[in-house]
Amino acid sequence: MEQITILGKTYTAEEASAPFDEKSNQACGLSRLQLEFREKYGSESFEASLADFLAEWFNPLPVLKVQTSGSTGTPKELWVEKERMRNSARLTVAFLGLQAGDSALICMPLKYIGGKMVIVRAFIAGLNLIPVTPSGHPMATLETAPVFAAMTPMQVFNSIQIATEKERLEQIQHLIIGGGAIDNELAQVLKKFPKAVWSTYGMTETLSHIALRRLSGPEASEWYTPFSQVSLSLSAEGTLIIQVPTVNPETLVTNDLVTFNSEGQFRIIGRKDNVINTGGVKVQIEQVETLLKPRLTFDIQITGVPDPKFGERIVLLAETGENLNDRQRNLLEEAFNSLPPYWRPKETIPVPSLPKTGSGKPDRATARRIARTYVKR
């Protein structure tokens, strides 16, 4: 029988399950765990939402609902089989060698697959779940480092700015980072970490990640290593094709342009839908951003707008507030001059904040709308 350990206390499926009306396929009351956590932490607490997820997990239905991040379009909801989520969890647990009794930090929103899968891995492997309300500083309240943790790049970046938080972060045995890109500056810091730090590759449709890339130590690499049971290939357009029948019965043709090495590992070039065709030259958005960001002191996003002469032209969104000052203009000019001519943005749009999805990824669709609205003024 499945059970879950939270802060050292083990709860059975019966304690986590809520009364369930099989006619309406809905809960008709609260579980003992839901009542306990509401009384102890409050009805709006993260712990209460954890108990709510467990009540949904342990109900009789074989499926549950998950939401995509919406990084390239409108977020959508998917119904997924719980057994396939278990299979996905087993792949990660086996790859990392997690053991029963290991502590696992859950500090990501439970709305998305990344947070849900931390919990599934916990009861699959018998981990001791440590819930911390999602925030930019998940290590701030912890006295000791967990064995395993999953975080976003933003959480990791914030944590390394505070000495005590960085010290605890460095002691996590297995830290996986997902939900957004890891820039070169952060990667250089993580390379010096003494324990294992990984970048994840996956999506909601693969029920979290299907490959990991080492970021720390001498094993640090730009290549992702796929899990066992994962079969990868290239489409005619150069995008990654994923087959992992135990997790998703369908063959997934992604929009991610990749290249393989001789060991079956892959490196991401960018997304097919993030290509700007300007004057017949195809420019990959991510490659431009990668070259520009180390030269700037503020965050940016690259996007494209229609152009009557070139088809599309490249536009940069700069997170500088409503206006650019002289120093920022000079930095941009120097950075643009370092790019190949056809990669150089033709316009810069200052914005108070860059558009992000709920999970913290660049919201490319909104960025395009902002740029198109701005150039029409």
Side-chain angles (χ1 to χ4, degrees):
M1 178 181 291
E2 288 182 337
Q3 56 188 23
I4 185 76
T5 301
I6 305 171
L7 296 173
K9 182 178 179 179
T10 300
Y11 300 88
T12 65
E14 181 181 0
E15 291 172 313
S17 300
F20 195 79
D21 182 358
E22 295 190 6
K23 290 184 178 180
S24 65
N25 280 336
Q26 292 182 340
C28 54
L30 297 177
S31 70
R32 275 179 275 176
L33 182 60
Q34 286 175 299
L35 292 171
E36 177 183 327
F37 278 16
R38 276 163 168 72
E39 180 179 353
K40 187 173 183 179
Y41 301 106
S43 59
E44 301 300 320
S45 66
F46 181 59
E47 290 82 359
S49 67
L50 169 58
D52 292 345
F53 171 76
L54 290 169
E56 183 182 9
W57 179 264
F58 288 120
N59 73 30
L61 296 179
V63 296
L64 58 75
K65 190 181 294 183
V66 298
Q67 181 171 310
T68 63
S69 64
S71 56
T72 59
T74 304
K76 59 183 179 181
E77 293 180 334
L78 303 172
W79 286 96
V80 300
E81 297 174 41
K82 294 175 183 176
E83 185 57 31
R84 296 190 183 280
M85 295 177 72
R86 293 186 184 94
N87 291 338
S88 173
R90 292 184 184 106
L91 292 176
T92 302
V93 167
F95 187 95
L96 298 179
L98 299 177
Q99 303 292 321
D102 286 346
S103 53
L105 176 66
I106 171 63
C107 60
M108 300 175 72
L110 301 181
K111 182 179 181 180
Y112 301 105
I113 192 66
K116 295 179 191 294
M117 286 304 302
V118 173
I119 300 171
V120 179
R121 294 179 200 117
F123 59 70
I124 285 293
L127 309 179
N128 177 25
L129 203 59
I130 311 296
V132 170
T133 302
S135 73
H137 290 271
M139 305 302 292
T141 59
L142 293 182
E143 295 182 0
T144 58
V147 172
F148 170 71
M151 297 185 191
T152 65
M154 181 269 288
Q155 289 175 315
V156 174
F157 176 83
N158 288 345
S159 296
I160 64 176
Q161 310 306 313
I162 309 297
T164 54
E165 295 179 28
K166 182 183 178 184
E167 183 178 353
R168 287 190 286 271
L169 193 72
E170 289 177 323
Q171 295 310 308
I172 297 173
Q173 296 291 324
H174 290 285
L175 171 61
I176 63 174
I177 307 173
I182 298 169
D183 65 23
N184 290 333
E185 183 179 350
L186 180 57
Q188 290 305 310
V189 175
L190 296 174
K191 190 173 183 179
K192 299 175 183 177
F193 271 38
K195 310 296 184 181
V197 184
W198 308 87
S199 170
T200 68
Y201 176 84
M203 59 206 70
T204 304
E205 291 81 357
T206 59
L207 306 181
S208 191
H209 47 266
I210 52 91
L212 294 177
R213 175 171 69 92
R214 185 69 178 254
L215 295 172
S216 61
E219 301 97 333
S221 171
E222 61 181 357
W223 298 92
Y224 284 91
T225 300
F227 292 159
S228 63
Q229 303 180 31
V230 176
S231 177
L232 304 176
S233 58
L234 279 181
S235 72
E237 295 179 301
T239 58
L240 186 65
I241 299 175
I242 302 171
Q243 292 176 303
V244 52
T246 59
V247 173
N248 191 321
E250 300 178 0
T251 296
L252 298 173
V253 181
T254 73
N255 284 326
D256 293 315
L257 299 164
V258 305
T259 183
F260 286 100
N261 65 16
S262 59
E263 298 179 6
Q265 299 170 308
F266 65 94
R267 178 169 58 85
I268 299 171
I269 300 170
R271 289 182 65 88
K272 182 182 71 174
D273 44 5
N274 287 345
V275 173
I276 299 172
N277 191 331
T278 178
V281 177
K282 293 183 178 179
V283 179
Q284 191 71 47
I285 283 176
E286 295 91 343
Q287 291 180 322
V288 179
E289 291 175 341
T290 298
L291 290 175
L292 289 178
K293 285 183 177 182
R295 298 174 175 272
L296 302 172
T297 58
F298 45 88
D299 203 3
I300 61 163
Q301 283 181 20
I302 294 293
T303 189
V305 296
D307 185 273
K309 181 177 180 180
F310 296 105
E312 290 181 284
R313 68 178 182 272
I314 300 171
V315 172
L316 179 142
L317 302 187
E319 193 173 76
T320 58
E322 296 183 358
N323 297 291
L324 292 167
N325 59 38
D326 290 341
R327 181 173 179 274
Q328 291 164 341
R329 289 192 184 90
N330 291 336
L331 282 174
L332 285 168
E333 183 178 356
E334 291 175 6
F336 290 173
N337 288 335
S338 71
L339 297 174
Y342 277 97
W343 288 27
R344 295 172 188 171
K346 299 299 184 286
E347 281 188 79
T348 297
I349 302 172
V351 293
S353 61
L354 295 173
K356 301 286 181 67
T357 66
S359 61
K361 297 179 182 179
D363 187 338
R364 301 293 186 185
T366 299
R368 285 193 294 272
R369 287 196 294 270
I370 291 172
R372 293 184 182 195
T373 300
Y374 183 91
V375 298
K376 286 180 180 178
R377 293 190 308 183

